[in-house]
Amino acid sequence: MKERPKTLPPTLRDKHRYIAFQVIGERNFKKDEIKKAIWDASIRVLGELGTARAKPWFIKFNEKTQTGILRCDRKHVEEVRFALAMLTEINGSKAIIRTLGVSGTIKRLKLKFLKEFGW
């Protein structure tokens, strides 16, 4: 019988924060376009080492309302927000990413910032 690897206790796990964002642009964008644009902007602004430390992770995106959720390390929230603010175009179309808010849980993020968009 195989032994399962032990999971880390909560005290040793990384603490995350969740960022709610809205994409405002010339047209509606697909999930993959947004994911690639966020990743490219993060590497361009923060560098490879800064991106590795911030650990941005794309959670969810609603193509109808153009809103989404991004996860990052709690110590690097402002750096990730700065990288999002520096994004000016996606696939050749002008666009900006507006940060709606930051929370420690997805449930609270949806209640506070994404409720008006139908989440």
Side-chain angles (χ1 to χ4, degrees):
M1 187 170 143
K2 289 185 180 179
E3 289 186 32
R4 291 179 44 186
K6 292 190 176 190
T7 59
L8 285 173
T11 55
L12 296 177
R13 291 185 203 149
D14 291 335
K15 306 282 192 282
H16 300 294
R17 291 295 176 264
Y18 298 93
I19 301 172
F21 65 90
Q22 178 184 22
V23 179
I24 303 168
E26 295 176 329
R27 62 179 179 88
N28 285 350
F29 297 98
K30 300 267 189 226
K31 176 184 174 183
D32 295 332
E33 292 176 311
I34 300 298
K35 189 185 294 188
K36 184 175 180 346
I38 289 173
W39 185 252
D40 290 344
S42 178
I43 289 179
R44 189 179 71 247
V45 173
L46 304 176
E48 290 181 5
L49 185 60
T51 301
R53 287 183 178 147
K55 300 177 199 153
W57 193 257
F58 195 83
I59 301 292
K60 200 170 187 178
F61 185 71
N62 186 338
E63 293 179 3
K64 194 186 314 179
T65 60
Q66 296 289 295
T67 55
I69 300 173
L70 185 72
R71 184 180 77 195
C72 68
D73 190 71
R74 73 180 168 134
K75 295 176 185 171
H76 302 277
V77 172
E78 293 304 315
E79 294 168 13
V80 173
R81 289 180 67 180
F82 176 69
L84 293 177
M86 295 305 294
L87 189 68
T88 57
E89 74 172 14
I90 301 171
N91 270 0
S93 299
K94 290 185 179 184
I96 60 168
I97 294 184
R98 176 178 160 228
T99 302
L100 300 173
V102 179
S103 180
T105 63
I106 293 176
K107 181 179 180 179
R108 191 69 180 154
L109 188 79
K110 287 180 180 178
L111 284 174
K112 281 179 85 174
F113 306 110
L114 297 171
K115 193 173 188 179
E116 65 187 81
F117 295 101
W119 282 67

